[in-house]
Amino acid sequence: MTIREIRLVSHTHTDFGFTDYPDTVFRHHNRIIDRAIEVCEAEAGRDDAAQFRWTSEVAAITENWLRTASSRQIDRFLALHQQGKMGVGGMLVHWTPLVSPANAARSMRAIDRLRREYGLTVDVAWQCDVNGLGWHWVDLLLDMGMKGMVLAPNPHRGMPFETQQRMFNWQAPSGRTLPALHGWHYSVGAWGFFLGDDDMNKTQAAIDRMLANLKARGGYEHETILCQVTNPAAIDNGFPTNISAFVERWNAEGRQPFLRLSTLDQAFDGLLADPTMERAPTWTGDWTDYWADGVGSTAFETALARETERHLPALDLIAALREKGEHSLLDKAMTALQFYDEHTWGAFCSVIVPDSPFSRSHLSWKTGRAFESFALTQEVLADEARDLARERTGVAVENDIPIRRGTTGKMPVEEQSYWVLNPTSKPMRLRWPVTWDYGGAAPQTILHAYLSDEYHQDMKVDQSGFASSETHLLSADLPPFGEAIIKPTAASPQGAGGAGWIETAQTRLEIDPRDGSIARLVRRSDGRDWLAGSEGLGRLVYEDLVDPSRGRASIFGETGEWQYDWSRLETIAWPDTAPKFNRRTAPDVVVGQGRQTMFGPEIDVDLAWPHGDKARITYRLAPDTDRVDMRVSVDKIAVVDPESMHLLFHVPGTDPQFEVDVGDQAIAVDSEQIPESSRAWVTLQKYAAVATKQSALVVASPDVPLVQPGGIHTDRATRPDLSQPALAFWLFNNHWDVNFAAAQTAQKLTFRFALQLSDRHDPAAARLLAEQASMRPIIVRAYDAAPRAATPLLTLSDPALDMRIQPSDKPGRFMITLINPEDREIMTTLSIAGKTIKSLQRVNPVGLPMGDDIGDGASLSLQPRSTKRLTVLLD
């Protein structure tokens, strides 16, 4: 292998924050692009390889510049683009794995606008700094017509540098492949090759050394290589570094390799044209990101963002049913949510000087995106759901009849009717509190039903009045996408309880007084104890450093003799020996008395640690199933030294197999992850599971995205032990040394989990539990509406498929996304209540046709683990 040409891609890495306040970053990047235009034009007379070229890294920045630039500037930009001097990266932002598949597809609208409104070529997806990308992205990018994907991982607490620079074909769950480059970090051009220092011998020595290392390592078989070039003084959010004269002189002297300035698209075309590309391997699986652990540093806001994320499919469904498009506020809400899901989490000095106004402003902006998206989504959902309820019932709905605050309405809440909708493609068993009739009182822009702790902890905002019914519940079995009009039914307390135990007809649960976990979980039909031989379910474990003075950097190597050198990135790696951690359950445990509730028996466990943290775990048994619900509430104190809290679940048995839902598909940990993926922790969307020959456990986790298969791996991130049949959910942490909060703010943190044990793992049952535990019913008070039995609005003949509904901008049609999570081909038929389907047409994520109509009617097939997006045309 001899590298004959280096394709140099000039850009600046885009952090929304880190170097400057995030709102300022937008305006700063406007000036950066203006400067790039000037440099491109000034260097146009040089040899072609030395003519300056620039790539605007993310679509959010490109779009903002185009919205605010003068017509003359836009003409200059477009002219350079046509000349191959100005490129555009094909992702909205650099993502964390928090982003849901529905929101990921939504983000592609920005790419479509750049193509359609400005005629830009946007063909290569680009992710810098992050160390992986969710598997569901591959089919999404292929459907958007992307020709490839470039990842520039950061080895700082991420992927080791020695694994970088590999070309491969990334195989999607559907089996299709996308050419991908696991490239060097974006700092290599400026800090590794010293481009911009104008010292050819220094650059030559650095290139020779790094290419020799690459050759000795093996794994890169191509004659062309891509290197990103940023500003040596400011690799993040920095102005262009003009190296045109340097490149022209280098090539004129006959130095090797040949240097060629390229846009991202041109560089990737050069890689694809390399004849050795035929030998590129095919890798299949999720590209799991190490850096995702940082989302646990703002645990409350992350939980809130995940709640918001799950409302997007419901809002899209309502818009489709109303055939009135979508509310303009939804765009604003989802934009805010996307910037929470983006990878930047504060200022470069967030840990060094956490109390600086500079640091605090960054963190406030970031966490504010979670609060903004949550509040706006609630407003849109309340408005749109109430409008749809009026249309479906023909009567006045909640807030239509004003009631003086604190007084009762026209009838008791137990006698009112309620329009309910299941916004998911799975059946939903509705058991929900009957909340007070707010009658237009504050808060007006939240559905009455969501002003309940059953929706989210502490959502009952008026504790002194406005009581929920103590005698009735809203109960219904809703089919997929099913609606009904129901009245509350009388309910009595369920189950039984005593000192340290609760039980139903199905299950008995007993608490371990030593640590507050579940010690016994007995199936009453045959007496089987699911936990016999295990270490129990639900152990809260607090973790900190044995020697806190070693600090955060010791956790991943930057301490003592091991100092990072960004000019020699091979020095940046996880340490062979991590610092020692203390891990301890709470020494102060108080187990409560089991009690009956209308939702099933409950029991509380109160925990306390010497450093000041307190927690309460509430266990609940569902009265009619074998599901166990947990609510963990942590009264957190601010701790600046590195700390974590984990919730551990063990099952009996050996040779465990782990499965994690990473978005529309569940992966088998290890076997369905591409090389260099994080196996220590995985970011889930809805659930994780562990199975042995003796039993299987599924844990739905609506609020906590980080799970560690096999137990806690913070001291062995690159060498996790997957031999233990355990799942460790990472509730919060502050391990990171920059770019995240220095400490969890002193506050109450709440987390929900749903557990189900079985004799063997059933992926379909796991998906059902996760959907039912994560997704919320739509409930609107409809006063005098006549009760109506539950009926499906849309039906798929094969219930194994998952489906999301989106509105169309044309009347008489809507879009659907069909996901086949099974390893078999599925034939299905779609039917719609009261409607006839004329045809189905394959479309891309933004609704543009991808081919001819599938045909008349509504029958189609889905290949194993494939995703199809279709426009449904109604007759």
Side-chain angles (χ1 to χ4, degrees):
M1 181 271 307
T2 299
I3 301 296
R4 304 187 185 280
E5 180 175 272
I6 301 179
R7 294 277 189 150
L8 302 176
V9 179
S10 290
H11 70 108
T12 184
H13 174 57
T14 307
D15 280 322
F16 289 94
F18 194 64
T19 64
D20 296 279
Y21 184 65
D23 282 349
T24 304
V25 165
F26 282 99
R27 292 182 286 275
H28 181 60
H29 272 272
N30 287 345
R31 296 188 288 272
I32 290 172
I33 293 177
D34 287 340
R35 176 59 179 155
I37 290 172
E38 294 173 359
V39 180
C40 285
E41 292 176 341
E43 302 296 345
R46 295 192 182 275
D47 293 342
D48 182 71
Q51 291 180 15
F52 190 79
R53 291 165 169 84
W54 182 258
T55 300
S56 181
E57 195 182 64
V58 295
I61 289 297
T62 309
E63 261 208 307
N64 182 69
W65 185 88
L66 289 165
R67 282 195 302 266
T68 56
S70 67
S71 58
R72 179 177 179 275
Q73 281 294 86
I74 293 174
D75 288 343
R76 293 170 74 188
F77 182 101
L78 295 179
L80 289 169
H81 181 75
Q82 292 299 320
Q83 296 164 22
K85 305 287 183 62
M86 186 66 69
V88 177
M91 289 288 245
L92 180 71
V93 295
H94 302 303
W95 296 105
T96 68
L98 288 179
V99 63
S100 66
N103 210 0
R106 188 183 185 88
S107 75
M108 289 290 108
R109 297 180 184 187
I111 307 303
D112 176 62
R113 288 191 295 268
L114 293 176
R115 291 171 174 174
R116 180 168 37 84
E117 296 177 12
Y118 298 98
L120 296 175
T121 299
V122 190
D123 287 344
V124 181
W126 201 5
Q127 293 287 275
C128 294
D129 238 14
V130 295
N131 294 269
L133 195 64
W135 200 12
H136 63 86
W137 278 100
V138 188
D139 277 315
L140 178 65
L141 295 174
L142 285 165
D143 285 350
M144 281 300 296
M146 295 292 175
K147 63 186 176 187
M149 198 273 286
V150 173
L151 200 80
N154 192 326
H156 180 73
R157 191 167 165 77
M159 206 172 295
F161 175 76
E162 286 300 314
T163 67
Q164 296 178 14
Q165 284 295 9
R166 299 181 191 274
M167 280 292 293
F168 65 98
N169 294 299
W170 191 7
Q171 190 170 62
S174 65
R176 298 184 295 167
T177 58
L178 179 74
L181 170 65
H182 176 189
W184 281 325
H185 186 245
Y186 59 86
S187 68
V188 165
W191 288 358
F193 293 163
F194 307 104
L195 296 169
D197 285 12
D198 204 30
D199 185 334
M200 291 203 174
N201 291 332
K202 185 178 182 182
T203 295
Q204 184 75 69
I207 289 177
D208 289 347
R209 175 185 59 80
M210 195 171 291
L211 294 186
N213 288 345
L214 185 64
K215 185 173 184 177
R217 185 204 74 189
Y220 192 83
E221 305 295 332
H222 316 292
E223 297 180 351
T224 304
I225 203 164
L226 187 154
C227 175
Q228 297 170 214
V229 182
T230 52
N231 187 310
I235 61 172
D236 304 322
N237 300 328
F239 281 89
T241 297
N242 185 354
I243 58 173
S244 286
F246 181 91
V247 169
E248 190 171 62
R249 193 162 72 251
W250 175 285
N251 291 335
E253 292 181 6
R255 291 177 179 265
Q256 296 296 320
F258 188 82
L259 302 183
R260 182 180 297 278
L261 288 168
S262 305
T263 64
L264 177 68
D265 294 79
Q266 291 164 348
F268 201 78
D269 285 342
L271 295 175
L272 293 180
D274 194 309
T276 59
M277 185 61 193
E278 295 179 358
R279 300 202 297 269
T282 296
W283 290 346
T284 187
D286 187 65
W287 198 341
T288 316
D289 185 2
Y290 282 101
W291 263 26
D293 64 338
V295 305
S297 71
T298 51
F300 181 85
E301 292 82 6
T302 293
L304 205 62
R306 285 169 66 80
E307 186 70 43
T308 304
E309 197 94 43
R310 290 188 291 270
H311 282 312
L312 178 56
L315 285 162
D316 279 340
L317 171 64
I318 292 172
L321 293 174
R322 297 195 67 212
E323 294 190 7
K324 293 184 179 180
E326 60 186 40
H327 199 286
S328 60
L329 277 181
L330 183 56
D331 284 335
K332 187 176 181 180
M334 289 303 110
T335 296
L337 183 59
Q338 287 163 349
F339 280 103
Y340 189 82
D341 291 342
E342 190 266 345
H343 82 300
T344 316
W345 232 269
F348 68 91
C349 54
S350 290
V351 172
I352 301 170
V353 282
D355 296 324
S356 163
F358 183 78
S359 299
R360 289 185 177 188
S361 67
H362 285 62
L363 186 62
S364 174
W365 189 93
K366 183 67 173 185
T367 56
R369 303 288 72 76
F371 291 113
E372 179 185 11
S373 62
F374 178 79
L376 293 180
T377 302
Q378 294 295 327
E379 179 182 352
V380 177
L381 186 59
D383 288 346
E384 296 297 297
R386 287 165 182 162
D387 285 345
L388 181 58
R390 289 188 196 95
E391 295 169 9
R392 303 297 293 181
T393 65
V395 302
V397 302
E398 57 185 56
N399 286 12
D400 288 347
I401 303 174
I403 302 171
R404 184 178 296 274
R405 184 177 177 86
T407 61
T408 57
K410 57 184 287 187
M411 66 181 78
V413 292
E414 292 87 355
E415 297 177 13
Q416 296 170 354
S417 293
Y418 297 80
W419 176 78
V420 296
L421 174 68
N422 174 6
T424 78
S425 59
K426 301 299 180 189
M428 177 180 286
R429 172 155 290 183
L430 175 66
R431 290 180 62 83
W432 201 264
V434 181
T435 58
W436 186 266
D437 185 355
Y438 283 74
Q444 297 175 333
T445 54
I446 299 178
L447 289 173
H448 293 182
Y450 289 177
L451 295 169
S452 163
D453 291 349
E454 288 301 311
Y455 169 70
H456 203 281
Q457 184 70 31
D458 299 319
M459 276 297 290
K460 183 172 169 46
V461 295
D462 192 324
Q463 299 293 338
S464 60
F466 298 79
S468 300
S469 173
E470 295 182 353
T471 58
H472 287 65
L473 289 178
L474 293 175
S475 300
D477 288 317
L478 298 174
F481 300 114
E483 69 166 351
I485 301 173
I486 63 176
K487 285 186 176 292
T489 56
S492 58
Q494 301 288 306
W501 63 272
I502 52 176
E503 70 178 16
T504 64
Q506 291 80 24
T507 307
R508 180 180 175 89
L509 180 153
E510 298 179 10
I511 302 297
D512 188 333
R514 296 171 299 175
D515 57 23
S517 67
I518 304 174
R520 299 188 69 219
L521 193 65
V522 178
R523 182 167 59 189
R524 297 187 67 193
S525 61
D526 60 4
R528 175 176 180 177
D529 180 3
W530 291 110
L531 304 183
S534 80
E535 297 181 44
L537 297 179
R539 279 192 299 135
L540 267 182
V541 177
Y542 182 80
E543 174 186 66
D544 60 3
L545 291 177
V546 172
D547 180 5
S549 67
R550 294 192 64 185
R552 290 170 173 76
S554 66
I555 298 172
F556 47 97
E558 192 178 359
T559 185
E561 298 178 357
W562 190 269
Q563 294 293 334
Y564 287 7
D565 180 354
W566 283 86
S567 68
R568 305 177 71 89
L569 291 188
E570 61 269 25
T571 69
I572 300 179
W574 291 81
D576 291 331
T577 303
K580 293 181 179 179
F581 288 92
N582 293 310
R583 291 176 186 145
R584 51 192 180 275
T585 58
D588 186 1
V589 181
V590 177
V591 180
Q593 188 84 7
R595 61 183 178 273
Q596 295 177 315
T597 79
M598 292 192 294
F599 299 97
E602 296 180 351
I603 191 168
D604 297 328
V605 179
D606 290 314
L607 310 167
W609 285 263
H611 69 277
D613 280 355
K614 298 179 181 179
R616 168 170 285 188
I617 303 177
T618 299
Y619 298 98
R620 176 191 288 174
L621 293 176
D624 47 7
T625 70
D626 55 0
R627 166 175 155 175
V628 180
D629 287 301
M630 290 180 63
R631 177 162 283 164
V632 180
S633 178
V634 180
D635 287 324
K636 189 74 193 78
I637 67 166
V639 176
V640 175
D641 291 328
E643 63 165 355
S644 293
M645 188 173 283
H646 310 268
L647 185 63
L648 274 164
F649 301 98
H650 286 82
V651 296
T654 58
D655 301 319
Q657 302 295 313
F658 301 98
E659 181 177 280
V660 179
D661 161 35
V662 294
D664 284 349
Q665 299 289 336
I667 63 165
V669 174
D670 202 18
S671 64
E672 289 187 316
Q673 294 175 282
I674 71 167
E676 288 86 47
S677 288
S678 170
R679 287 155 173 79
W681 43 82
V682 181
T683 306
L684 60 85
Q685 283 290 326
K686 293 181 180 175
Y687 78 88
V690 55
T692 66
K693 292 181 180 179
Q694 285 75 27
S695 60
L697 169 69
V698 178
V699 182
S701 178
D703 304 312
V704 179
L706 297 169
V707 64
Q708 299 174 69
I712 302 172
H713 304 306
T714 45
D715 55 350
R716 50 177 186 268
T718 58
R719 302 177 303 278
D721 179 6
L722 302 182
S723 66
Q724 299 301 309
L727 296 171
F729 286 82
W730 209 345
L731 301 189
F732 61 78
N733 75 80
N734 67 342
H735 285 183
W736 195 245
D737 66 333
V738 295
N739 208 19
F740 295 100
Q744 293 285 333
T745 305
Q747 61 180 330
K748 182 178 180 180
L749 305 175
T750 57
F751 312 100
R752 295 162 295 179
F753 300 89
L755 324 176
Q756 199 159 48
L757 280 142
S758 57
D759 294 305
R760 63 189 61 84
H761 180 57
D762 180 350
R767 294 192 297 270
L768 178 60
L769 172 71
E771 195 80 353
Q772 292 177 342
S774 301
M775 300 300 289
R776 304 300 179 198
I778 307 300
I779 303 172
V780 180
R781 194 183 310 274
Y783 294 112
D784 297 322
R788 186 190 306 161
T791 56
L793 300 176
L794 303 98
T795 304
L796 288 172
S797 59
D798 193 315
L801 296 176
D802 294 326
M803 180 166 63
R804 293 189 291 271
I805 318 293
Q806 296 90 39
S808 172
D809 57 359
K810 297 179 181 179
R813 64 185 66 192
F814 57 87
M815 288 175 55
I816 61 173
T817 300
L818 287 174
I819 304 103
N820 179 3
E822 301 276 339
D823 290 321
R824 60 182 175 92
E825 181 182 6
I826 293 179
M827 298 288 298
T828 193
T829 301
L830 173 69
S831 58
I832 303 173
K835 303 284 186 179
T836 300
I837 297 175
K838 183 177 181 180
S839 64
L840 302 172
Q841 185 179 45
R842 185 83 182 273
V843 294
N844 73 359
V846 296
L848 297 179
M850 292 179 60
D852 297 332
D853 288 356
I854 290 179
D856 295 338
S859 296
L860 71 157
S861 67
L862 273 83
Q863 295 302 307
R865 303 185 79 169
S866 66
T867 298
K868 278 186 179 179
R869 295 175 178 86
L870 304 161
T871 288
V872 179
L873 179 61
L874 301 176
D875 203 349

